[in-house]
Amino acid sequence: MTSRQDSSGQQEMPLIEHLLELRNRLLKMVLAVVICFAAIYPFANELYLWVSDPLTSLLPVGQTMIATDVTSPFFAPLKLALVLAVFVAIPVILYQIWSFIAPGLYAHEKRLAFPLLFTSVILFYLGAAFAYYVVFPLVFGFFTAIGPEGIVELPDISSYLNFVLKMFFAFGVAFEIPIATILLILTGATTPADLAAKRPYIVVGCFVIGMLLTPPDIISQTLLAVPMWLLFEIGILFGRLAKRARAEAEEAPEP
């Protein structure tokens, strides 16, 4: 297969070279996760104690978490270490994705795509941090205080881990709303005015999503829905600015 010139004057790679490039990028992603896992796993038990602290610190004196499965004491920290390895390797993974698609982008697309990619990583981390430091203390405080008197709380370590990972993911994805909003505006799928006009429906949708992704209590639902709405407003604001900047760049004369 021969190479040909695209509209930007760059040579397009043959299909085989694309597949080889994709394979190399995937191998680097997997290698990054493996390296992070090898570095994290020796501290898996300590990390589990840290992740479980928002709940265990609220349990009455003498009560602890339990393992209802024989293999849970081994697999729960192992699962946590693997998820954290992927979590830590996200910048490398996204960089490899960026390196694969960047040659096919125009210069103005590269100027826009990289900041959005970088910001999406930061927002995902901020969402997970918000869940751990703000949401967990309030949610677990609510659950440990509302139970019937005389009930001994002995949370299972695997069930707890599944719960917190779900919450980390939910808040991490929710904090990507500004990026999604900006992309919708820049691709022409909608406009800031249209999104602003749909604000009442967006607010209701945020609370519905909060109800589906969080435990059945008003505290955690509100703590997810309100940030989602605020992030939506931020997305509209920066979408307007990005659209204006793109229009000015297109109107500027070519050097």
Side-chain angles (χ1 to χ4, degrees):
M1 183 180 297
T2 58
S3 299
R4 61 186 179 88
Q5 296 284 335
D6 63 12
S7 59
S8 63
Q10 296 178 337
Q11 283 195 338
E12 294 185 355
M13 296 171 58
L15 177 60
I16 298 299
E17 292 186 25
H18 274 298
L19 295 176
L20 291 175
E21 176 72 8
L22 178 60
R23 184 199 63 178
N24 292 335
R25 297 296 176 186
L26 291 173
L27 288 175
K28 290 178 181 179
M29 294 180 200
V30 173
L31 181 61
V33 174
V34 170
I35 292 174
C36 291
F37 177 77
I40 291 173
Y41 182 69
F43 310 98
N45 290 335
E46 290 79 2
L47 288 170
Y48 190 93
L49 292 177
W50 174 74
V51 169
S52 62
D53 183 68
L55 175 60
T56 56
S57 62
L58 296 172
L59 294 176
V61 177
Q63 294 184 19
T64 61
M65 302 182 72
I66 62 172
T68 57
D69 194 307
V70 175
T71 60
S72 292
F74 171 75
F75 281 110
L78 176 69
K79 180 179 179 180
L80 176 62
L82 182 58
V83 173
L84 286 178
V86 176
F87 190 76
V88 173
I90 283 178
V92 178
I93 294 172
L94 291 180
Y95 174 76
Q96 295 302 323
I97 296 174
W98 163 257
S99 299
F100 181 73
I101 65 174
L105 300 177
Y106 292 102
H108 68 276
E109 292 174 332
K110 291 181 181 180
R111 288 194 298 268
L112 175 66
F114 186 78
L116 289 177
L117 194 65
F118 176 79
T119 305
S120 66
V121 176
I122 301 300
L123 287 174
F124 188 88
Y125 286 157
L126 287 176
F130 181 82
Y132 182 83
Y133 290 106
V134 178
V135 178
F136 287 176
L138 294 174
V139 170
F140 295 141
F142 172 80
F143 283 143
T144 55
I146 202 173
E149 186 176 353
I151 298 298
V152 178
E153 295 189 35
L154 298 172
D156 175 64
I157 60 174
S158 294
S159 298
Y160 174 82
L161 180 61
N162 292 334
F163 172 81
V164 297
L165 291 180
K166 176 184 175 182
M167 295 289 284
F168 280 141
F169 180 77
F171 278 86
V173 172
F175 271 58
E176 300 294 330
I177 287 178
I179 304 298
T181 304
I182 292 172
L183 289 176
L184 286 173
I185 293 172
L186 292 179
T187 56
T190 186
T191 65
D194 289 339
L195 289 175
K198 295 180 175 63
R199 183 175 287 111
Y201 304 101
I202 297 297
V203 173
V204 173
C206 289
F207 277 91
V208 171
I209 294 173
M211 177 184 66
L212 295 175
L213 295 181
T214 60
D217 67 278
I218 191 63
I219 297 176
S220 56
Q221 293 172 12
T222 303
L223 287 174
L224 179 59
V226 172
M228 287 175 64
W229 169 58
L230 295 177
L231 290 167
F232 167 76
E233 299 293 343
I234 293 173
I236 293 179
L237 173 62
F238 281 94
R240 288 194 179 104
L241 297 176
K243 189 174 183 180
R244 188 181 306 163
R246 170 185 277 188
E248 293 175 353
E250 291 176 350
E251 293 174 0
E254 293 292 335

